[in-house]
Amino acid sequence: MHAQVKANEPNKQPFTIPGSVLVPLKITTPAGAIITQDDLPKGQPLMLVLFNPMCDHCQKVATTLQEHIDVFKDITVVFLTGLNLINEVQNFITASGIIEGRTIILGGTDMELSSKIFMSKGIPQMMLYNKDHILQHTFFETLNIDSTLYYLKK
């Protein structure tokens, strides 16, 4: 039997609802640098990818993204994993061929932030934000370039 959600019960993950603002980010890079949403380029769409560095689907998404990097040149892409897996990120970079740069960031975050946005429907979880960092859509497991760009440009 499924538990019923009452109409007046608050959503436990309000940052996952299309139309919501970007969750306050605190990203730790493999080198130990801290990046917040204030450090991300302003006025630029954002693709937040929740991933596991040892996941084959996640590596495929990163590889596909790198193969089409020219169409993502004006989009910030943040690959975000748990801090407990941060030591695996370099292996992920090597296996996927993704190249870190000004608009591609890889790092980890704590369980508190993860619990606010991870929806447990499959990884990678790709959250697509417009230039104002308002959530437009979330995809799971596979990257469709055309659909992704459609939502990022909204």
Side-chain angles (χ1 to χ4, degrees):
M1 180 169 269
H2 292 81
Q4 287 189 327
V5 177
K6 296 177 184 165
N8 61 353
E9 189 174 304
N11 184 322
K12 300 219 185 320
Q13 292 183 302
F15 291 106
T16 63
I17 301 169
S20 65
V21 296
L22 177 65
V23 65
L25 294 174
K26 182 179 177 189
I27 305 159
T28 303
T29 68
I34 303 294
I35 298 170
T36 70
Q37 69 278 3
D38 295 332
D39 299 314
L40 301 176
K42 307 288 184 260
Q44 189 167 312
L46 169 70
M47 183 166 124
L48 183 61
V49 183
L50 306 181
F51 80 110
N52 179 320
M54 297 169 284
C55 157
D56 290 339
H57 288 302
C58 302
Q59 289 178 8
K60 175 81 171 122
V61 164
T63 300
T64 301
L65 180 77
Q66 188 62 47
E67 289 169 353
H68 295 88
I69 198 66
D70 55 319
V71 296
F72 285 90
K73 67 182 182 304
D74 296 322
I75 297 165
T76 302
V77 180
V78 176
F79 281 84
L80 197 58
T81 191
L83 281 175
N84 59 320
L85 297 173
I86 197 74
N87 293 333
E88 297 295 328
V89 171
Q90 189 56 53
N91 293 335
F92 176 82
I93 291 169
T94 302
S96 67
I98 194 78
I99 299 171
E100 288 181 278
R102 186 182 72 76
T103 60
I104 297 183
I105 300 164
L106 291 97
T109 193
D110 59 31
M111 286 298 294
E112 181 182 348
L113 184 120
S114 294
S115 69
K116 292 178 181 176
I117 56 176
F118 183 63
M119 297 193 291
S120 300
K121 294 182 181 179
I123 56 172
Q125 174 180 314
M126 294 156 282
M127 303 177 80
L128 310 176
Y129 297 84
N130 66 12
K131 66 179 179 54
D132 299 315
H133 293 174
I134 303 298
L135 182 62
Q136 300 300 304
H137 193 76
T138 301
F139 286 113
F140 301 90
E141 297 182 1
T142 58
L143 176 64
N144 177 297
I145 300 296
D146 292 334
S147 296
T148 299
L149 291 172
Y150 168 78
Y151 284 107
L152 288 168
K153 304 286 177 155
K154 281 182 92 174

